[in-house]
């Protein structure tokens, strides 16, 4: 086994298995079973405004693998995305989040939302909207407590269908956020046509902004566009006071990053931020 670069997470690597394809296949089988076995855990990371007030949390999945330990999503989300397994995973995470919301475990501050990542393949599925509505109904959760994070790659195909689905869920009060903004395919003109409420500046730009003029310019233009279009901005990957300060003096922004809190298991997170 190999240790991942950061934290105590273990990357999936078993020298005994001969080929990558075999390893991937086995992992996919295990992941399929992991969902009903309850091995997918929801971690939470705080989002705070510039005054330090808690305004939201992002749900980030981890796989508690019986032999490999805690597996990071970077090692299994791409695998899950190769099949409809990603939809089962997305539903599993959303259901856990909704259960926590329904149990009143999150702060009930007005405007507080939980962000859930939704993969393009899941979003594009027929019946996506109906399946979300049924989870909301089943758990009794107010859609105004939720934000769905989608990436620009969602827009590579079926844009009209994507917009229609977003509109149906937006009409209920659910918000949409464009994750990893700046790294992908969508141009700024695209943003205008989407019923989204938030841009998340990718951590690459947040990281470099105080020291790299190109990143600084990009961050500034994202802030300008967001202001113009009345979109919220979340800066992901804020690790240093310099990065936070760079953002604060340039606009309205919500911080998410190690400087304000690492992702941690839901129970620990609720303990720390108990209502
Ligand atoms: P993302 O949605 O862009 O999430 C942000 C990632 O940045 C998370 O990595 C988070 O732990 C990490 N991060 C937060 N603050 C900092 C910081 O200050 N510095 C650094 N270096 N990193 C920070 P994580 O949890 O490993 O998740 C990686 C990606 O996996 C996510 O990127 C998302 O694309 C995907 N993912 C995670 N959970 C889910 C899920 O439930 N469903 C789907 N479809 N994808 C998920
Ligand atoms: Mg995200
Ligand atoms: Mg992101
Ligand atoms: Mg990212």
């Amino acid at each position: 086994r190999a240790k991942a670069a950061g934290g105590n997470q273990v990357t999936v690597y078993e020298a005994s298995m001969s080929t990558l394809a075999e390893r991937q296949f086995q992992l996919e089988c295990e992941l399929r079973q992991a969902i009903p076995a309850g091995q997918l855990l929801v971690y939470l990371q705080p989002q705070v405004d510039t005054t330090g007030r808690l305004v939201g949390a992002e749900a980030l999945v981890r796989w508690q693998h019986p032999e490999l330990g805690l597996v990071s999503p970077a090692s299994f989300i791409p695998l899950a995305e190769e099949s409809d397994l990603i939809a089962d995973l997305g539903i599993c995470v959303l259901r856990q989040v909704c259960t926590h919301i329904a149990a009143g475990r999150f702060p009930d501050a007005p405007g507080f939302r939980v962000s859930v990542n939704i993969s393009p393949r899941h979003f594009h599925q027929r019946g996506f909207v109906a399946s979300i509505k049924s989870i909301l109904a089943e758990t009794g959760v107010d859609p105004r407590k939720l934000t769905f994070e989608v990436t620009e790659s969602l827009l590579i195909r079926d844009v009209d269908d994507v917009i229609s689905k977003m509109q149906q869920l937006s009409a209920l009060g659910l918000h949409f956020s464009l994750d990893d903004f700046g790294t992908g395919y969508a141009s700024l003109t695209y943003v205008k046509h989407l019923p989204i409420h938030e841009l998340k500046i990718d951590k690459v730009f947040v990281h470099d902004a105080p020291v790299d003029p190109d990143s600084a310019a990009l961050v500034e233009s994202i802030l300008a566009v967001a202001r113009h279009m009345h979109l919220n901005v979340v800066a992901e990957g804020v690790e240093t006071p310099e990065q936070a300060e760079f953002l604060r003096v340039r606009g309205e922004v919500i911080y998410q990053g190690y400087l304000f809190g690492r992702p941690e298991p839901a129970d620990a997170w609720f303990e720390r931020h108990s209502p």
Side-chain angles (χ1 to χ4, degrees), residues 58 117 149 151 178-181 200-203 236:
E58 180 174 8
N117 293 282
E149 294 191 6
T151 55
L178 260 190
D179 204 353
D180 305 336
F181 193 71
K200 280 191 95 165
I201 308 177
D202 192 75
K203 54 178 171 282
E236 67 176 28

Side-chain angles (χ1 to χ4, degrees), residues 81-238:
E81 279 173 337
E82 284 174 23
S83 71
D84 287 341
L85 195 50
I86 191 63
D88 298 340
L89 184 150
I91 293 296
C92 170
V93 170
L94 180 63
R95 202 171 259 128
Q96 290 186 53
V97 166
C98 285
T99 302
H100 291 313
I101 295 173
R105 301 192 73 189
F106 286 101
D108 66 348
F112 185 95
R113 285 179 186 260
V114 189
S115 292
V116 176
N117 293 282
I118 302 289
S119 280
R121 187 178 180 132
H122 184 195
F123 194 98
H124 281 301
Q125 273 193 348
R126 227 176 299 136
F128 175 76
V129 171
S131 80
I132 299 306
K133 283 183 179 173
S134 91
I135 293 175
L136 295 172
E138 192 186 294
T139 54
V141 162
D142 181 349
R144 287 173 298 186
K145 299 284 181 203
L146 287 169
T147 295
F148 282 177
E149 294 191 6
V150 297
T151 55
E152 298 159 78
S153 59
L154 180 64
L155 306 167
I156 289 171
R157 62 182 178 94
D158 304 333
V159 181
D160 292 342
D161 180 62
V162 166
I163 293 177
S164 150
K165 285 171 165 174
M166 284 184 168
Q167 281 167 342
Q168 291 172 62
L169 292 170
S170 288
L172 305 176
L174 202 143
H175 275 187
F176 285 94
S177 177
L178 260 190
D179 204 353
D180 305 336
F181 193 71
T183 61
Y185 156 93
S187 67
L188 289 174
T189 39
Y190 242 120
V191 170
K192 205 165 70 178
H193 302 292
L194 296 174
I196 56 162
H197 309 83
E198 181 180 284
L199 300 176
K200 280 191 95 165
I201 308 177
D202 192 75
K203 54 178 171 282
V204 173
F205 307 116
V206 172
H207 185 265
D208 293 349
V211 292
D212 168 48
D214 290 344
S215 295
L218 199 111
V219 167
E220 283 168 353
S221 45
I222 293 174
L223 288 169
V225 166
R227 199 177 306 122
H228 186 74
M229 297 187 186
H230 308 288
L231 302 173
N232 294 333
V233 177
V234 177
E236 67 176 28
V238 181

Side-chain angles (χ1 to χ4, degrees), residues 14 17 32 56 123 177:
E14 290 283 343
M17 275 191 244
R32 210 170 279 282
F123 194 98
S177 177

